[in-house]
Amino acid sequence: MNYEPVIGLEVHAQLATNTKIFCGCSPAFGAEPNTHVCPVCLGLPGALPVLNQNVVDMAMHISLAVGCTIQPRSRFLRKNYFYPDLPKGYQVSQFQSNEEMPLATGGGVEVPTADGGTRVINLTRIHMEEDAGKSIHEEGFVSSGESLVDVNRCGVPLIEIVSEPEIATSDEAFHYLTRLHQMLVYTGVCEGDMEKGHMRIDVNVSIRPVGSTKLGTKVEVKNVNSFRNCQRAIDTEKDRQIALLETGGTIQQATMLFDPDRNQLRPMRTKEDSDDYRYFPDPDLVPVVVDDAWITKVREQIPELPEAKKIRFGNDFDISRDQIDILTSSRDIADYFETTVSSGAGAKPAANWLQGDVMRVLNEQKITIGELKITPQSLAELLQLIDKGTISGNIARKVFDEMVDTGDAPQSIVEKQGLVQISDTSELDGIVDQIIADSPSEVERYKGGDKKLVGFFMGQIMKATKGQANPKMVSQILREKLG
Ligand code: ADP
Ligand code: MG
Ligand code: ZN
């Protein structure tokens, strides 16, 4: 029998707020353990939570961007369970049932298909919740058999984006996650830094005979921290399930952990039901009521999204499909490109420089385009200097490197270092004459038919002028003089 996997993803994304969801503590990454805490996020007796309005704003922002319906009224519930890194004994979250709706429902994410088209992966919901703390079992400073607890993350605001079980392959899961990540970052709702745990994914996998429409028993793989590991977890789990069914076994509903180093899944617990958590409305928090005016206000703030930007770039700029993809990969890069062009650079050279030299520097220095010392205005100025023939392309690279280091304006670097291109005919004439006089044997071979030697003469002239001779003019003068 042939089996196909069915995949549903639950993505936890950290909202980019300045404070936690129910208190004023900082959600910043990397603080000393147990320093970003207060009675509220520790759940001390008598402490009262107050909902951070930015959390609702940001959750609505991404929900509207992916086409969800915002529920006019939703509630926070307590999901009760014991865990050492959960001092309150419950997590405040939202729930979906016949009676209870989360903040946002429906919506979808478009993914590319193998035949070059696209299809939509539908969403079940987007809900708000708080993060739990972190148990540390394995790092070097923990002695064997001991665990440490860091509760800084308790109360860090998250949204959970739940897909319908309709992702068909691990590749499709990867595309879905990449698109979602791009949307989250574009809308400014999430910083999207995987290394800081800004996005964590629970992967649900089942298999069924090809052609069947009934869902099989699912296994959930918790807390996968990269898109590649999601793909690997899906493939590993799918293979395990197929092997199990083929040898006459049955699939147990379970929750597993993925160990990326061993490419292995470890059982964590047999699957609990939502009933086990004894969800009930948090009596300390009022319902979240969202009116149309609020929805309209958030909707108006949604920036142009990647797909719309791609279409517009394709219409407005004479640049390649690949370049459009690269330039729209992040909003910052797209904005940088557009500002470069509106500051007087041509679209084509601006795209070439961004795709080439700028991306190289960002990768080498591991910085974002916002941290680059070169402003789009100075990049435009540099490209104009090339365009006007003030400097050659080669010199421009030198100027660019200097701009990367100092952030100085290109004009002033060119002036200070005397890099202006030599485009004066009589000056170039003299230099070319000199090189010809110095190379009698090459001249003879050239005249004898070895036209490739033109490269040799160009090289000599560039050497003599430290690369500043106008290459177009030199080439013309050379050909005239050599006949
Ligand atoms: P739970 O209550 O266990 O979290 P849900 O029904 O809310 O379960 O689904 C959680 C996730 O699991 C969703 O992303 C959903 O698409 C996915 N899922 C549900 N059933 C299946 C299945 N049979 N196979 C694969 N994924 C599934
Ligand atoms: Mg779940
Ligand atoms: Zn706090």
Side-chain angles (χ1 to χ4, degrees), residues 201-352:
I201 301 117
D202 298 344
V203 179
N204 298 271
V205 185
S206 63
I207 57 168
R208 65 182 171 197
V210 173
S212 158
T213 50
K214 219 177 123 226
L215 290 174
T217 304
K218 71 165 177 164
V219 166
E220 178 168 4
V221 187
K222 277 272 177 214
N223 260 330
V224 188
N225 60 5
S226 81
F227 301 168
R228 286 287 166 218
N229 283 343
C230 270
Q231 266 187 307
R232 291 166 65 203
I234 291 166
D235 289 332
T236 309
E237 177 54 21
K238 174 196 72 174
D239 292 345
R240 189 190 70 86
Q241 291 184 17
I242 293 175
L244 196 62
L245 287 192
E246 280 179 345
T247 53
T250 48
I251 290 153
Q252 297 278 333
Q253 190 176 324
T255 303
M256 310 264 233
L257 281 179
F258 181 60
D259 179 344
D261 297 331
R262 297 193 194 84
N263 211 30
Q264 238 176 36
L265 292 157
R266 270 186 285 137
M268 195 165 129
R269 53 178 180 250
T270 54
K271 180 64 186 176
E272 68 289 337
D273 265 325
S274 58
D275 287 354
D276 298 331
Y277 289 112
R278 298 295 187 273
Y279 279 94
F280 69 87
D282 192 311
D284 290 338
L285 288 161
V286 294
V288 180
V289 176
V290 179
D291 61 14
D292 287 346
W294 192 356
I295 295 175
T296 306
K297 202 175 110 211
V298 173
R299 203 189 287 282
E300 280 166 359
Q301 290 162 358
I302 297 174
E304 183 182 37
L305 295 171
E307 292 316 303
K309 212 183 266 299
K310 276 184 196 168
I311 293 169
R312 184 168 61 80
F313 277 24
N315 291 337
D316 290 2
F317 305 117
D318 180 24
I319 55 180
S320 72
R321 190 71 234 169
D322 279 354
Q323 288 183 322
I324 292 175
D325 284 345
I326 292 168
L327 295 175
T328 55
S329 64
S330 95
R331 204 169 130 194
D332 289 346
I333 290 172
D335 287 349
Y336 192 102
F337 168 72
E338 289 202 88
T339 314
T340 308
V341 173
S342 66
S343 305
K348 192 90 212 161
N352 289 341

Side-chain angles (χ1 to χ4, degrees), residues 6 8-10 125 162-165 204-206 215-216 218 271:
V6 175
L9 297 177
E10 296 163 277
R125 66 173 178 273
V162 181
S163 85
E164 288 288 291
N204 298 271
V205 185
S206 63
L215 290 174
K218 71 165 177 164
K271 180 64 186 176

